[in-house]
Amino acid sequence: MNYFPDEVIEHVFDFVTSHKDRNTISLVCKSWYKIERFSRQQVFIGNCYAINPERLLRRFPCFKSLTLKGKPHFADFNLVPHEWGGFVQPWIEALARGRVGLEELRLKRMVVTDESLELLSRSFASFKSLVLVSCEGFTTDGLASIAANCRHLQELDLQENEIDDHRGQWLSCFPDTCTTLVTLNFACLEGETNLVALERLVARSPNLKSLKLNRAVPLDALARLMLCAPQIVDLGVGSYENDPDSESYLKLKAAIKKCTSLRSLSGFLEAAPHCLSAFHPICHNLTSLNLSYAAEIHGSHLIKLIQHCKNLQRLWILDSIGDNGLEVVASTCKELQELRVFPCDLVGVGDTTVTEEGLVAISAGCPKLHSILYFCNQMTNAALIIVAKNCPNFIRFRLCILEPNKPDHETSQPLDEGFGAIVKACKSLRRLSVSGLLTDQVFYYIGMYANQLEMLSIAFAGDTDKGMLSVLNGCKKMRKLEIRDSPFGDKALLADVNKYETMRSLWMSSCEVTLSGCKRLAQKAPWLNVEIINENDNNRMEQNGHEGRQKVDKMYLYRTVVGTRMDVPPFVWIL
Amino acid sequence: MEKVGVYDDELVNLKATELRLGLPGTEEKVSCGKSNKRALPNDTEKDIESTGKTETETASPPKAQIVGWPPVRSYRKNNIQTKKNESEGQGNYVKVSMDGAPYLRKIDLTMYKQYPELMKSLENMFKFSVGEYFEREGYKGSDFVPTYEDKDGDWMLVGDVPWEMFVSSCKRLRIMKGSEAKGLGCGV
């Protein structure tokens, strides 16, 4: 099979970086499997309980970068108790023991402790990059260890983590010799920031490309920082309030003009909207704009800013932009590829929000749009049908109508036909979230047409098991299926047990699945972990009597090669 | 149509004798928090069955919330909410009792902008009518008088002070009825 020496093949493999492709390569033959495993540099583990660190090390002894994901997606919405699991500590311990030359660690929805961060910082001399997304369990003390001990740190990227801010001096823990920073993102820290330490750090980091500040960095500090780092590409503004005539503001305007490499703007965690005009001169360079935390930026100031952003590819915004604002986006941002519209008002009936009209306008005006996340108050089938016609290239389509079970607000019909049109037209659709009033029919369409679908999120939808069965039978590429508050039960769950071997995970909460159904599944499929999460009642459900027929509140199942996990908390029962 | 289990058919038939949290006459959605209840979608599904058409409810604030809905990351929820609270003042929950009613309620005063809104909400909540407010004579035309306990511990008539002052000084509300009310409400 091999006409070339191993080194040559390995060199060829170096050009293949996607983990999916490398997985495929490794299946070609034993020889390629062997070469591939020793040359794999980046390992991606989508579910930290599907495998354990020991087996990881045995298969890939030479990797340098590890990506780990812990809790299931619905943990983002408080559906998974905090102590469920996803601890990174055992991984770091194992990698340290195994003397892995770890350079990069990327974690999502995992529990990270200060102890873990300290161990990480001391165990890997070449460590360069730490990216934490939606993690929790650590404090700024842990960050101090990273700052102090990672001599070659290039990237410290903290995205939307719950970090206990001890208001310490973690920024001053970067030694004076640290000049290698490329990315520094601490926007999610709540506490005060040592501005002097920050400015000195930025000043001695000539390679700094991405800087995202937290709320505690005021406008005058921002001006000084930007003057130190005119090479900045990605900027997250912290606090942005000031009197527009003040000296700092003028300084800021001058500094911004020098930042000709700036392509991505975010933050404005506290903002005086009338100061936004300082950014107008560089707006035409922007490809990414994230104003989804800027609750105070709306109305005419927002519109004016957007009108300058003709080259935007990615826009994250709040629904206070309104349909009118979206029409401005549609007419200005012809290069737009990804749009996310988040709800401003989460408590009750909102003031300005967006409707189906905004979505239609965007679909008509932005031909390159392929990813959308859209929270809105109302939707119609007619609008979705038009959107499908305008944008057949959707890869990700996530629509969330704020009120569960809401029908087409013009016809009062379910939204089956609208979503059906989307899946029919968008042949490359990989991710879909549905909402509103939906019957089994929409799942029939999804099963029939969504051939590339990998992730599906369902809430308050469907009528019978047939709905879920349509999806399980039809979507051959399904990897992650998450369902809540829908009437799917044991019949659908048990119909094709082998299907779950082709999927990463299945989440079902507040559905019709019973304990005996889950038990039967666990029996038939020993290579699955079937977890019952029952936070109300630490006692096993058996003890309450009515054993089998009792409905399971939360079930999470996933394929695994290492069996039951050892760190199960008392309220989780693995069948 | 196989929807949810047997229990819901029974509920539909026995609605009148159903034991629920909440006073008679209040049709409130139960928060699907710590229990296995799925009241919200069931309610709407029953509506579909009976009327063939789901009506969007005119929600009177504050709306009961479903756990994990809307699907927005808790980090994002906390950060947006904090800002709104900072700009609009903290959510201000006060207890509301009505003479003769078995349960107290709680309302968020920041959800209302003026007295009429508040009174309407209370009237809906407790199914009573408050009569008309006169500056000198208090509430006329009803046995019910809305009162509140202020920061000093005194019981005051709702409506006497400007709204903002009321919101900042109100510790709890009490809807008085009958003879006790007469003393306070009618022409002191």
Side-chain angles (χ1 to χ4, degrees):
Chain A
M1 183 78 183
N2 288 338
Y3 302 112
F4 302 110
D6 287 359
E7 299 80 46
V8 175
I9 298 185
E10 191 182 312
H11 185 63
V12 172
F13 286 0
D14 280 348
F15 293 97
V16 181
T17 48
S18 137
H19 68 272
K20 279 184 190 166
D21 289 341
R22 292 205 69 123
N23 289 345
T24 310
I25 288 179
S26 66
L27 294 173
V28 168
C29 63
K30 281 203 177 115
S31 168
W32 280 30
Y33 178 89
K34 187 168 150 236
I35 298 170
E36 196 283 314
R37 72 179 256 258
F38 282 103
S39 61
R40 175 114 39 147
Q41 299 279 290
Q42 297 157 324
V43 177
F44 171 85
I45 297 177
N47 175 5
C48 65
Y49 290 120
I51 191 165
N52 63 26
E54 289 72 35
R55 287 188 62 154
L56 166 66
L57 284 168
R58 259 185 292 164
R59 167 107 189 249
F60 299 119
C62 307
F63 74 92
K64 295 198 165 36
S65 161
L66 177 62
T67 301
L68 275 172
K69 293 189 182 180
K71 297 184 192 177
H73 176 232
F74 275 0
D76 281 351
F77 318 132
N78 292 334
L79 289 177
V80 176
H82 278 282
E83 302 75 29
W84 174 84
F87 306 103
V88 78
Q89 179 71 9
W91 291 87
I92 298 181
E93 281 173 2
L95 296 184
R97 270 197 308 268
R99 300 188 195 288
V100 172
L102 192 68
E103 292 181 10
E104 179 181 77
L105 185 62
R106 308 168 75 93
L107 304 176
K108 188 168 186 180
R109 285 188 214 104
M110 293 203 65
V111 177
V112 180
T113 59
D114 287 345
E115 190 195 345
S116 307
L117 292 174
E118 163 94 28
L119 182 60
L120 176 69
S121 71
R122 292 194 186 284
S123 308
F124 309 105
S126 311
F127 193 73
K128 291 200 179 72
S129 167
L130 181 63
V131 180
L132 301 177
V133 181
S134 292
C135 295
E136 55 175 354
F138 61 106
T139 77
T140 43
D141 295 345
L143 297 179
S145 322
I146 298 287
N149 303 327
C150 299
R151 304 267 168 85
H152 306 285
L153 194 68
Q154 290 179 9
E155 191 175 4
L156 180 59
D157 190 356
L158 307 168
Q159 298 176 28
E160 299 189 344
N161 302 289
E162 305 274 353
I163 305 175
D164 209 351
D165 197 329
H166 285 175
R167 286 158 176 78
Q169 297 300 315
W170 72 278
L171 273 171
S172 7
C173 293
F174 283 101
D176 288 338
T177 48
C178 175
T179 58
T180 47
L181 274 180
V182 176
T183 298
L184 179 62
N185 173 5
F186 59 96
C188 59
L189 282 179
E190 289 296 311
E192 282 153 31
T193 295
N194 183 334
L195 294 174
V196 171
L198 175 62
E199 282 172 43
R200 286 171 54 198
L201 180 61
V202 169
R204 66 176 185 274
S205 304
N207 299 324
L208 193 66
K209 295 278 188 298
S210 172
L211 178 64
K212 292 187 184 164
L213 309 166
N214 74 343
R215 218 182 274 255
V217 181
L219 198 140
D220 53 329
L222 176 65
R224 288 194 297 275
L225 288 166
M226 290 179 81
L227 280 169
C228 286
Q231 77 281 4
I232 204 98
V233 174
D234 178 14
L235 178 67
V237 173
S239 177
Y240 196 69
E241 289 178 312
N242 212 328
D243 175 352
D245 293 322
S246 74
E247 198 191 311
S248 304
Y249 184 64
L250 294 169
K251 246 181 156 172
L252 178 69
K253 283 212 275 196
I256 290 174
K257 283 216 182 84
K258 294 212 173 89
C259 295
T260 51
S261 304
L262 193 58
R263 296 287 172 272
S264 170
L265 196 56
S266 62
F268 296 95
L269 307 171
E270 282 165 10
H274 54 272
C275 301
L276 281 180
S277 50
F279 281 97
H280 289 179
I282 51 90
C283 279
H284 62 276
N285 289 332
L286 290 181
T287 55
S288 170
L289 180 61
N290 179 357
L291 294 175
S292 62
Y293 285 101
E296 285 138 26
I297 298 182
H298 48 83
S300 59
H301 300 288
L302 174 60
I303 300 295
K304 280 207 197 95
L305 183 73
I306 290 188
Q307 278 167 331
H308 283 88
C309 298
K310 298 198 192 312
N311 291 309
L312 223 49
Q313 294 173 15
R314 183 159 76 145
L315 176 62
W316 290 23
I317 197 88
L318 290 170
D319 62 359
S320 48
I321 192 176
D323 286 335
N324 292 335
L326 288 179
E327 271 159 40
V328 174
V329 173
S331 57
T332 310
C333 308
K334 294 303 181 186
E335 302 297 314
L336 197 66
Q337 298 176 21
E338 178 187 334
L339 174 67
R340 295 196 189 188
V341 181
F342 293 97
C344 211
D345 180 0
L346 297 163
V347 181
V349 185
D351 307 312
T352 332
T353 58
V354 294
T355 71
E356 74 277 12
E357 290 180 17
L359 184 61
V360 169
I362 291 285
S363 73
C366 305
K368 301 189 179 176
L369 192 67
H370 60 59
S371 295
I372 189 157
L373 169 61
Y374 198 78
F375 285 85
C376 60
N377 259 350
Q378 62 188 47
M379 189 49 57
T380 65
N381 284 309
L384 287 173
I385 290 169
I386 296 174
V387 168
K389 197 148 155 257
N390 289 338
C391 288
N393 299 320
F394 275 124
I395 300 175
R396 297 173 200 93
F397 188 84
R398 297 158 69 187
L399 180 67
C400 180
I401 303 167
L402 290 166
E403 193 183 311
N405 289 314
K406 191 160 182 181
D408 178 322
H409 79 94
E410 273 170 9
T411 65
S412 299
Q413 292 299 301
L415 290 170
D416 301 333
E417 297 306 311
F419 280 105
I422 295 284
V423 293
K424 231 180 181 170
C426 303
K427 305 206 189 305
S428 314
L429 195 67
R430 295 205 303 254
R431 183 168 179 183
L432 177 65
S433 301
V434 296
S435 59
L437 181 65
L438 296 166
T439 72
D440 284 347
Q441 183 66 25
V442 71
F443 300 112
Y444 169 77
Y445 288 139
I446 292 173
M448 174 78 86
Y449 295 111
N451 301 322
Q452 303 299 315
L453 197 63
E454 297 177 6
M455 183 168 177
L456 178 60
S457 308
I458 302 171
F460 305 103
D463 305 313
T464 74
D465 283 325
K466 285 205 195 107
M468 184 170 163
L469 282 167
S470 304
V471 171
L472 289 174
N473 292 335
C475 300
K476 301 293 178 207
K477 299 214 172 161
M478 186 62 67
R479 290 189 301 114
K480 288 182 280 186
L481 181 56
E482 46 187 27
I483 308 173
R484 64 167 292 180
D485 293 274
S486 300
F488 306 133
D490 296 339
K491 181 156 164 261
L493 182 69
L494 292 163
D496 179 7
V497 163
N498 292 323
K499 173 73 177 173
Y500 305 124
E501 196 174 10
T502 66
M503 288 168 55
R504 184 190 295 175
S505 64
L506 169 66
W507 168 283
M508 293 180 76
S509 59
S510 303
C511 296
E512 298 297 311
V513 169
T514 70
L515 182 57
S516 64
C518 292
K519 280 186 170 173
R520 257 184 296 154
L521 175 61
Q523 254 178 337
K524 285 188 182 183
W527 32 264
L528 282 181
N529 274 354
V530 180
E531 296 195 4
I532 309 294
I533 301 167
N534 193 21
E535 56 199 308
N536 301 322
D537 175 18
N538 280 345
N539 304 318
R540 296 277 174 94
M541 286 161 85
E542 269 166 15
Q543 293 169 12
N544 295 340
H546 312 291
E547 188 202 297
R549 281 178 49 226
Q550 192 166 356
K551 286 192 201 144
V552 162
D553 193 30
K554 293 174 185 165
M555 180 206 72
Y556 178 53
L557 64 83
Y558 50 90
R559 64 184 177 190
T560 176
V561 294
V562 290
T564 307
R565 57 186 173 108
M566 293 299 132
D567 57 4
V568 177
F571 53 81
V572 172
W573 182 14
I574 302 191
L575 299 173
Chain B
M1 237 195 317
E2 177 197 331
K3 282 200 178 357
V4 292
V6 167
Y7 306 106
D8 289 280
D9 293 330
E10 291 175 0
L11 277 177
V12 169
N13 295 333
L14 297 171
K15 212 169 167 68
T17 57
E18 185 183 326
L19 286 175
R20 291 177 295 153
L21 289 173
L23 297 167
T26 53
E27 195 65 63
E28 195 179 78
K29 299 177 187 134
V30 177
S31 153
C32 300
K34 294 230 149 204
S35 67
N36 287 337
K37 291 202 203 98
R38 282 165 290 245
L40 180 59
N42 290 351
D43 285 344
T44 358
E45 281 173 39
K46 273 183 259 161
D47 284 344
I48 300 169
E49 278 177 48
S50 54
T51 66
K53 189 177 166 179
T54 317
E55 286 153 21
T56 43
E57 299 181 48
T58 42
S60 50
K63 216 166 173 172
Q65 292 173 51
I66 310 168
V67 169
W69 194 264
V72 173
R73 263 192 200 162
S74 41
Y75 173 86
R76 182 176 288 279
K77 260 189 188 163
N78 294 339
N79 276 274
I80 290 284
Q81 285 297 81
T82 326
K83 279 204 292 284
K84 285 205 110 196
N85 282 341
E86 275 165 23
S87 52
E88 293 166 17
Q90 298 289 331
N92 183 8
Y93 281 89
V94 297
K95 288 184 190 171
V96 188
S97 62
M98 180 161 102
D99 294 354
Y103 305 106
L104 270 65
R105 307 299 303 270
K106 244 187 176 174
I107 57 171
D108 180 0
L109 290 178
T110 60
M111 289 275 124
Y112 308 99
K113 295 201 175 67
Q114 269 300 331
Y115 284 117
E117 270 181 58
L118 170 66
M119 296 320 302
K120 196 146 173 234
S121 183
L122 289 175
E123 285 175 332
N124 279 336
M125 204 180 258
F126 289 97
K127 297 294 178 245
F128 73 103
S129 194
V130 87
E132 213 185 322
Y133 174 80
F134 292 91
E135 207 181 337
R136 301 237 176 153
E137 290 122 18
Y139 288 87
K140 276 192 146 177
S142 165
D143 272 351
F144 296 95
V145 180
T147 66
Y148 71 101
E149 186 183 355
D150 72 359
K151 278 186 185 150
D152 302 324
D154 298 321
W155 284 93
M156 315 288 293
L157 187 69
V158 172
D160 280 344
V161 301
W163 174 255
E164 286 74 27
M165 194 187 293
F166 164 72
V167 170
S168 59
S169 61
C170 172
K171 297 245 86 106
R172 56 185 296 166
L173 282 158
R174 177 182 162 197
I175 301 167
M176 289 185 177
K177 189 188 169 179
S179 50
E180 227 187 304
K182 298 270 189 272
L184 189 63
C186 300
V188 169

